[in-house]
Structures are given as structure tokens and as C-alpha cells.
Amino acid sequence: MMASIKRKVAVIGAGITLFRRRLKETGRELSFYATKMALEQAGITLDDVDAVVCGTAPDAFDGVHMKGEYLADGMGGHRRPFVRVYVGGGTGVFTPIAAWWHVASGHFDIVLAVAEEKMSSCFPHPQKAFTTIFDPIYTRPLGANLVWIFALEMQRYMHVHGVKKEQIATIAVKNKRNALDHPCAQLPAKITVKDVLESEVMVWPVQRLDISPPSDGAAAVVMAAEHVAKQLTDDPVWMEGVGWCLDSTYWTNRDLYYPKYVEYAARMAYKMAGIKNPPKEIDVAEPYDPFDYKEAHHAEGLMLARKGEYLKDVKDEDDIFAKYGRDGDLPICPSGGLLGVGNPIAAAGMMKVCEIFWQLRKEAGKRQVKNDPRTGVAQAWGDLMQVGTVMVMRV
Amino acid sequence: MSVKVKEYRGTYYSRKDLEEGRVMAFKDRPEARYAWATGVAMGRFLAELKQGRIVGRKCRVCGRVLVPPRMFCEMCFRPTDEWVYVSDTGTVLTYSVSYLGPAAERLKEPIIIAVIQLDGASPGIGILHKLGEVKPEEVKVGMRVKAVWKPPEEREGAITDILYFRPVEEG
């Protein structure tokens, strides 16, 4: 299937807005700022863009149906080929994947991938809108809250592998601390494992500091075919592997301890990129971390650690930074992740793609990882514990 | 963030700014009501709940008993073959203790929820429900539980015809 792909695709520019709990700007305005920055960084104007791919999550957050069309103007989609893609929380990484096939197919040379989320419009809390993702007949009458499924999955992960909450909390400590160096971050903080374990219980075993916040924000990348990218920049970042996979919404019918669908998505991307030993060949990774345990869960799905072993030998803050800090063995979530930078759903996944782009370009400033990274991976996840989207990038 | 960029856009406002009118906001509550046809499989499932029974569907190719029932097997991608009654007893696969309601509001008394594999369903085929008559700290993965039903005259053909599952002692 992959042997027929001839055209190489590069990311040549990225843009992002602040991530905050509430922003006065509309989704269209935020999209415009992120898109404009990505175009400027790529050194092109909208006139050079052939097509636009939009990523944004549930319409219910904005209360506007056909949200993609609504946002199109701000994303540079006016009078251009424009499409919205949507796979729940996996959307942020799926958006550049869709833009990739626009270019790899040979149909377009320069394509914008823009992701936006504005969760604050739904008030007092977007959780209420989130509950409509559950099956209306079976699940909703039980009074389901979205945090339930994470708590059930976290419990199952801890039970099967004997992982402790103290170990998982180190991930929140690392990511929120990493976010101190991200100028767009919503919840950067210097906290301790003790702070996490003493924070308010939401849905046990999930506590307040285990969770990323609702956010507003937007992010964008410009992607170009090889012959164009080489004209426009000396530093293209190549998209060398893409993968995605969807499991069933019958999430109680599978063992939640391991995200098999993330593994399938990763295998697709790694095969395409020629990666055989992920922990050795990948220098920096941004697995999806809407909850702290999810970083471990997804790093295992990405085969960066064996099942249940991501936190092996991690007993405290020092251990996690030694293994997964910016100067650690394998830097994970150097951006600060969703836990630290924020979680405007689709834009959060795109933020991870932007981070890998900046890390590989050595533009990440204080966040720059120390291992001279050549290969990075970004991953997002979502829906009812069921979708994995993976992108491998190289310089 | 790139070192090449000096300014990032976005203007924060607080919930208080909204409540006290310091931010221009237009409020609306869209009216959207639904009546979902339950479908073939769930319709039978709900009708059986009203009778105090739990029914699944079996696929004879992969051999799985699916609960709640489906008219097709998503793995074999063929119609399922027969209705199979499963027990109202089962095993806790995972659980959690929720202090949050559907709108993220705080609950005074937490509710315990669990994924339960009913006896007669295939391994790993769990259902979501609540646990009762047990303290949060007493719940364990692997615990044996049994359904506590509403009285027959109060049942309406809904998943809530089962009030919750309670622990059972087995000798």
C-alpha cells in the first residue's frame, strides 16, 4: 500500500496562539492569528496556498453546526478547496495527516493544516456538552461524566501492571514544569508529587492535578511538496510516517489497560518511516497527555516502552526527569503537554506537531531537548477510548 | 513556540469578567430535543430488562456473546445468530468513585461505577453500571457482584431498571 507514495512532504512553518481557559477572540479570530503566523514563518502568503484542511472537535462546544465552514475564513479557506476532518481528540494530529495526503497524492503543492478549539463558549462547563458523546440509550441514563472513562481506564492500567499513583503523578510534575518555558501555556507550574496526591478528588483515581484543563486556542502548520519546500527553506521537516486507527465505541468490551489501536496506528507510521526499534530511533516524542497516566499509556502504545514499563524504576520527580526530561534518556512532552500548555482539543494535538517541528528545527529555545534530535513523533488520541493518530517527523 | 516568534495572540478573561458584564457576550440556549428509536437489538435488551432478564447476542463464527446485544458482529462483519440470556451476576473488571455529576458539578455523596463482566458474556465483554451497598474503599477489581433490580411494577424498559450491582459472598 505504501510503496506507491512517491512525493515527500515537509512542514515548513508553524503558528500558535495563547492557550487559555477563556479567550475574548472568536474561533475565527484565533484561527486567523495561528494561520497568519504559520504563513509568515514559512515565508509565504495565502496566495501560495492551494488548499486548507481544518481540524476542530465537537460542534457542541461552540453551539454552531458546520463549525468547519464557520471557521473557514479565519483558516484561509475562503474560495479554496477546504475540508474539515474530525476524529475526536485525535483530530489535532489527524489534521496534518489529512493535509499530508493532499500533498503526497500530487494533487496540491502547498496546503495549510489548521486546528482550532473554543471550549469556553459552552458554559458554565463544556463537560455537559461532552456527555452527548455517550450512547443515548444505554450510557447517558446512568448519568455518565466524561471523566468516568478515564478513571476506569487509569484504574485498569494500574491494576494490571501494579503501577502506583505516586509514579503516575510524576508525569504531571514533569509536564507542568516543562510548560514554564512555553509562552502560550495555560497551566505551567512547579508542583510536587505530594501536590498531585493531595489535590481534589474528581473521579477516583483521577484527581484535579492529574487532568488537563478545558481551553481556547488555535495552531497551524504549512506543508509543502519536496520541490517547493526545498525552494522555500533550508530547514524542511519531513513527514516520514503517518498512521491512524479506530476501535469500537463499545469501550466496555475491550481491556482498557492497553490502547491497541494506538499501537496499530504507530506500526503504520513506523513502517512507512522505516523505524524498527522505536525507543532507539526516536529522539523526542509528544504522546497525548490529557491525563497524566495517558502519557504512560500512549508511550507504551507507541512502543517507546514495553507494556506496563513506562514508569518502571520511576519512583519520584528526579527519576522522571532523568528518564523523560529534556536532557533525559528519551525526552517526552518537552512542550509541557496538554497538562501544562492546555487542552483546546484539536489545537492541542496540533500543538504537539508544532513542538516536534520546532524541536527538530532547534527553534525551541529554553525547551530545546539536548540530544540533537533527528526524529520525532507526535500522537493524539480521542473519542470513546478508541482512536489513535500518529505522525513521525525527521530532519 | 519558536525562538523566531516574539508575540503570541490571545486575550484572557475570567468567569467573573463574564458574570459581571466586563466581557461582551451573547447568550442563547438552543432548543434541540430527540426521540431515539432504540433499534432492534437494544429494543429487545430494554424489553428484557423490564422482565428482569439480561439478554445478549451470540456470533457463531467468533463465538462471542455480546452484551449489550448487537444485530451484527463488528469483527466478523456478519449478522449475529441468536439471543442468549446471561446472568445478572458478574465480576468487576475496573471501577472508579465519582465525585462529579454529568455537568462536572460536585456530588455530595460519590457514586461508584464499574465495568462488569456478566456471567455468560464472553471474556472482556463488560457493561457499565453502578455499584451499591459497598464502601468505596472496599471495592476491588475481581469482586463478585449481583444486580439489584427495581420492583417489577416500577420498571420502564431502561438500563436504570437495574438500580446498581452489590457485592455477593460466594463460598
Side-chain angles (χ1 to χ4, degrees):
Chain A
M1 135 179 108
M2 293 163 191
S4 61
I5 295 165
K6 298 281 189 255
R7 296 227 313 177
K8 282 181 75 175
V9 182
V11 178
I12 59 169
I16 193 167
T17 67
L18 297 183
F19 285 8
R20 292 291 183 273
R21 175 66 181 87
R22 293 171 206 81
L23 288 172
K24 285 185 184 173
E25 289 79 3
T26 63
R28 270 195 275 235
E29 290 166 344
L30 293 171
S31 299
F32 172 75
Y33 293 133
T35 304
K36 194 74 179 161
M37 187 185 295
L39 290 170
E40 284 168 0
Q41 291 300 302
I44 62 171
T45 68
L46 190 59
D47 289 341
D48 302 310
V49 173
D50 298 321
V52 178
V53 179
C54 157
T56 190
D59 289 344
F61 286 149
D62 290 59
V64 178
H65 272 296
M66 306 211 311
K67 196 173 154 193
E69 286 79 350
Y70 167 76
L71 293 167
D73 290 10
M75 295 182 168
H78 180 65
R79 292 196 173 161
R80 277 186 177 70
F82 177 91
V83 67
R84 171 194 183 182
V85 295
Y86 175 44
V87 282
T91 302
V93 172
F94 192 70
T95 307
I97 290 175
W100 168 82
W101 75 60
H102 276 62
V103 180
S105 65
H107 207 61
F108 301 107
D109 284 340
I110 299 183
V111 174
L112 267 167
V114 190
E116 174 273 1
E117 214 67 63
K118 195 167 169 69
M119 300 171 74
S120 64
S121 308
C122 183
F123 83 102
H125 201 287
Q127 277 290 346
K128 185 74 184 176
F130 243 145
T131 60
T132 59
I133 81 171
F134 286 114
D135 181 279
I137 299 160
Y138 184 97
T139 314
R140 285 193 228 171
L142 293 171
N145 177 289
L146 199 74
V147 185
W148 284 15
I149 61 179
F150 295 98
L152 292 164
E153 188 178 70
M154 180 174 172
Q155 181 84 269
R156 184 74 189 161
Y157 176 75
M158 289 163 57
H159 172 81
V160 169
H161 296 305
V163 174
K164 295 188 170 64
K165 264 181 67 73
E166 290 81 349
Q167 294 175 280
I168 289 172
T170 62
I171 294 169
V173 172
K174 169 176 69 73
N175 292 3
K176 285 179 185 291
R177 202 173 303 176
N178 282 351
L180 287 165
D181 297 321
H182 201 304
C184 301
Q186 179 177 344
L187 286 179
K190 193 163 185 191
I191 57 165
T192 63
V193 165
K194 191 164 170 277
D195 294 330
V196 179
L197 298 178
E198 289 177 357
S199 63
E200 182 184 26
V201 175
M202 312 289 275
V203 184
W204 182 261
V206 171
Q207 292 173 259
R208 170 75 68 184
L209 291 174
D210 293 309
I211 313 187
S212 61
S215 314
D216 292 356
V221 292
V222 179
M223 289 156 58
E226 183 174 13
H227 67 286
V228 178
K230 284 178 172 172
Q231 285 173 15
L232 291 171
T233 177
D234 292 334
D235 307 301
V237 175
W238 303 104
M239 288 185 65
E240 299 221 333
V242 296
W244 63 102
C245 181
L246 188 82
D247 207 317
S248 163
T249 58
Y250 288 102
W251 56 275
T252 61
N253 284 184
R254 60 176 160 270
D255 199 327
L256 298 173
Y257 87 101
Y258 185 70
K260 194 78 187 169
Y261 47 91
V262 171
E263 182 191 317
Y264 289 158
R267 284 188 186 282
M268 185 190 297
Y270 293 163
K271 184 180 175 193
M272 190 175 148
I275 291 173
K276 294 190 171 61
N277 186 339
K280 285 229 158 41
E281 294 176 54
I282 288 165
D283 305 313
V284 55
E286 282 276 345
Y288 206 61
D289 62 321
F291 290 66
D292 45 11
Y293 81 94
K294 278 305 232 177
E295 176 174 303
H297 206 234
H298 291 149
E300 290 170 19
L302 289 167
M303 296 170 284
L304 297 173
R306 288 176 190 278
K307 288 182 188 177
E309 294 190 2
Y310 182 74
L311 293 170
K312 191 182 164 195
D313 307 325
V314 173
K315 291 184 197 68
D316 56 28
E317 288 97 335
D318 291 344
D319 293 338
I320 194 105
F321 282 102
K323 279 188 98 161
Y324 306 121
R326 288 182 195 136
D327 52 1
D329 302 338
L330 172 55
I332 304 270
C333 292
S335 66
L338 280 53
L339 290 162
V341 186
N343 187 10
I345 315 280
M350 183 70 89
M351 179 275 287
K352 288 181 170 286
V353 173
C354 293
E355 181 70 10
I356 297 296
F357 172 73
W358 289 319
Q359 289 288 348
L360 297 181
R361 278 230 194 176
K362 314 285 165 46
E363 286 181 23
K366 283 200 248 173
R367 295 191 323 286
Q368 188 63 51
V369 302
K370 304 294 191 288
N371 60 356
D372 187 24
R374 310 286 296 176
T375 303
V377 61
Q379 175 253 335
W381 161 97
D383 294 349
L384 280 172
M385 333 295 280
Q386 70 183 120
V387 65
T389 53
V390 177
M391 199 162 121
V392 175
M393 297 162 80
R394 269 210 192 103
V395 288
Chain B
M1 176 221 71
S2 164
V3 288
K4 292 182 176 174
V5 176
K6 299 298 169 218
E7 193 204 353
Y8 296 88
R9 302 292 297 262
T11 315
Y12 172 75
Y13 69 94
S14 70
R15 185 164 168 178
K16 212 172 166 197
D17 289 332
L18 179 70
E19 288 166 353
E20 295 176 5
R22 286 190 293 273
V23 179
M24 289 284 284
F26 180 79
K27 293 185 185 177
D28 184 26
R29 171 174 283 196
E31 176 90 355
R33 297 182 181 201
Y34 300 86
W36 290 286
T38 55
V40 180
M42 280 304 283
R44 170 80 184 262
F45 179 75
L46 297 177
E48 294 283 358
L49 284 178
K50 202 170 178 179
Q51 304 305 315
R53 294 187 296 255
I54 304 173
V55 74
R57 282 284 286 186
K58 183 172 181 174
C59 171
R60 282 194 203 126
V61 172
C62 65
R64 293 187 309 156
V65 174
L66 304 170
V67 186
R70 279 141 257 185
M71 298 315 292
F72 62 93
C73 173
E74 82 279 9
M75 291 175 89
C76 306
F77 212 62
R78 59 181 294 281
T80 48
D81 300 286
E82 58 186 312
W83 297 99
V84 178
Y85 288 108
V86 298
S87 173
D88 70 348
T89 57
T91 306
V92 172
L93 295 176
T94 183
Y95 71 94
S96 70
V97 185
S98 182
Y99 291 82
L100 295 185
E105 73 278 17
R106 295 296 296 185
L107 301 176
K108 278 189 184 149
E109 288 300 317
I111 55 173
I112 310 172
I113 51 172
V115 177
I116 299 157
Q117 182 184 310
L118 297 173
D119 298 331
S122 291
I125 300 289
I127 61 162
L128 177 70
H129 219 292
K130 299 174 189 174
L131 300 183
E133 300 180 39
V134 61
K135 289 182 185 144
E137 58 272 22
E138 292 168 356
V139 182
K140 296 274 182 293
V141 173
M143 177 184 256
R144 296 285 298 158
V145 293
K146 181 174 172 54
V148 174
W149 296 81
K150 276 185 184 169
E153 64 277 11
E154 290 177 23
R155 290 182 205 147
E156 50 193 352
I159 190 61
T160 46
D161 287 349
I162 296 173
L163 292 166
Y164 53 81
F165 285 73
R166 64 169 174 80
V168 284
E169 295 291 329
E170 288 177 351

